[in-house]
Amino acid sequence: MSKRKSQPRWAARVLAEIRRLVALGRVRFTLKATQELAALELGLDEQDALQILSELRVADLRGRVESERTPEWLYVCKPEVGGINLYVKLIVRSECVVISFHEDQGDADEEA
């Protein structure tokens, strides 16, 4: 029996929660994420970013890492928009906190 690479059990639940928080307007962008968003050559604003978050797919969710500052998970998503791969890092709390929102630089993101 052949098995496809399955997504982690938590992935669909996390994406559903992100979508719910976007729909409720409970998303906050850090200053860093706002500056990165503005620097993108795609000309996106926060409303565009919210649309991207609401349309994330399980395949866009690339993993999670434990925060070094707080006992919670940081989720890394890599959606493609306008032919550009983005790197989005966020925390899901009682609101969705977007920490990073920039063009994906490959492995350099993990080192930064």
Side-chain angles (χ1 to χ4, degrees), residues 88-102:
V88 180
K89 189 186 312 179
L90 49 85
I91 297 174
V92 176
R93 297 175 175 159
S94 60
E95 65 182 351
C96 179
V97 181
V98 181
I99 299 167
S100 292
F101 203 110
H102 57 82

Side-chain angles (χ1 to χ4, degrees), residues 47-108:
Q47 286 302 312
D48 297 318
L50 292 173
Q51 183 71 33
I52 291 166
L53 292 176
S54 72
E55 296 174 355
L56 286 172
R57 301 169 299 132
V58 171
D60 296 328
L61 188 57
R62 299 301 173 91
R64 63 183 184 174
V65 293
E66 198 167 350
S67 172
E68 294 178 7
R69 297 179 186 196
T70 60
E72 58 195 333
W73 293 108
L74 305 172
Y75 297 96
V76 175
C77 305
K78 295 188 177 186
E80 182 182 326
V81 176
I84 295 177
N85 293 317
L86 299 177
Y87 178 92
V88 180
K89 189 186 312 179
L90 49 85
I91 297 174
V92 176
R93 297 175 175 159
S94 60
E95 65 182 351
C96 179
V97 181
V98 181
I99 299 167
S100 292
F101 203 110
H102 57 82
E103 188 171 345
D104 184 24
Q105 302 297 316
D107 292 336

